[in-house]
Amino acid sequence: DADVTQTPRNRITKTGKRIMLECSQTKGHDRMYWYRQDPGLGLRLIYYSFDVKDINKGEISDGYSVSRQAQAKFSLSLESAIPNQTALYFCATSDWGGDLLPETQYFGPGTRLLVL
Amino acid sequence: SQQGEEDPQALSIQEGENATMNCSYKTSINNLQWYRQNSGRGLVHLILIRSNEREKHSGRLRVTLDTSKKSSSLLITASRAADTASYFCATDASSGGGADGLTFGKGTHLIIQP
């Protein structure tokens, strides 16, 4: 079974609709992240969470919100979807353990979102 | 903003040849990591090299790091068709290990011709 899962894997929606992308992990990690990937732009960080009570904005948080329902679950919402939010969205987790243990992130399979 | 920049953007070689990709970055780092992404899939961690290391090996992978030039290279030896993927470098520049310390480049798309 995959350690980091994302649902749905594909989604088509219309402009103005609210949608939620969900991420679950069984790795027991405290840290979770949401990225979007656009062709030619690499990965860009949207939001990240160090634990259930800690939520932080990333590089491109405008138009997005998140909810950390539990250690294992981190959801990304688009309150009112717009076409330029069409992208591939990835959830990731990490187990950073201090300066002696560099951070490695573990990625989910991605959600392909198309906003019409 | 991107910290790491991979070069070349795309690379096509014959199976069995070696593939070399480069990554340049701008600020001091704690470590640099390489990830692989198969088409439409999530990223998979390949290898990590710390700032006080110069070279690291893992199977057919060889990574070098030159902190004076702020650059790293990833060498894949004896390439196979299954190595076809995009390869990303990610730099950790954080002082406290925060999430913003892992910054990804735009990737090198590697194609292995059979």
Side-chain angles (χ1 to χ4, degrees):
Chain A
D1 288 337
D3 294 319
V4 184
T5 57
Q6 292 182 231
T7 56
R9 294 295 312 279
N10 296 279
R11 179 75 183 268
I12 300 174
T13 191
K14 295 181 179 179
T15 297
K17 293 291 186 180
R18 181 182 187 278
I19 66 165
M20 179 183 289
L21 309 182
E22 299 188 354
C23 176
S24 294
Q25 54 113 346
T26 59
K27 299 188 75 68
H29 292 167
D30 287 327
R31 298 185 168 201
M32 298 186 73
Y33 313 81
W34 275 104
Y35 293 89
R36 65 175 281 176
Q37 185 179 33
D38 299 274
L41 292 179
L43 285 171
R44 292 183 292 168
L45 183 63
I46 306 172
Y47 269 95
Y48 61 100
S49 169
F50 284 179
D51 62 40
V52 175
K53 297 179 181 180
D54 180 87
I55 302 289
N56 304 279
K57 292 183 178 180
E59 183 184 351
I60 51 163
S61 59
D62 288 348
Y64 302 94
S65 63
V66 291
S67 173
R68 186 78 184 270
Q69 302 95 323
Q71 187 205 37
K73 295 184 182 297
F74 193 34
S75 301
L76 176 72
S77 293
L78 287 68
E79 297 301 325
S80 180
I82 56 177
N84 76 1
Q85 291 178 312
T86 292
L88 188 54
Y89 289 85
F90 288 102
C91 173
T93 72
S94 74
D95 59 350
W96 184 81
D99 291 338
L100 296 179
L101 184 64
E103 180 177 17
T104 296
Q105 295 190 359
Y106 301 86
F107 285 79
T111 294
R112 192 171 297 277
L113 175 65
L114 173 61
V115 183
L116 301 174
Chain B
S1 59
Q2 253 75 27
Q3 158 84 307
E5 290 285 340
E6 291 91 345
D7 170 59
Q9 290 187 341
L11 178 63
S12 180
I13 62 172
Q14 294 297 122
E15 193 168 20
E17 294 179 341
N18 296 341
T20 300
M21 290 158 273
N22 302 295
C23 172
S24 60
Y25 55 92
K26 298 175 182 175
T27 65
S28 296
I29 61 172
N30 299 315
N31 65 76
L32 185 144
Q33 303 174 37
W34 285 91
Y35 288 78
R36 183 184 73 195
Q37 182 184 32
N38 290 89
S39 180
R41 308 287 291 275
L43 279 75
V44 175
H45 181 260
L46 293 176
I47 194 166
L48 178 152
I49 186 165
R50 298 172 190 256
S51 60
N52 61 355
E53 297 175 315
R54 292 296 167 258
E55 187 171 312
K56 211 163 179 182
H57 298 255
S58 177
R60 293 186 295 113
L61 302 179
R62 173 176 169 255
V63 172
T64 63
L65 180 64
D66 187 335
T67 54
S68 66
K69 295 181 179 178
K70 291 185 169 59
S71 68
S72 172
S73 68
L74 172 68
L75 169 67
I76 302 174
T77 61
S79 63
R80 305 168 182 171
D83 295 331
T84 294
S86 291
Y87 292 82
F88 294 86
C89 69
T91 52
D92 180 355
S94 64
S95 58
D100 58 357
L102 258 194
T103 307
F104 288 82
K106 297 178 183 180
T108 291
H109 185 51
L110 175 65
I111 298 173
I112 308 299
Q113 307 277 6

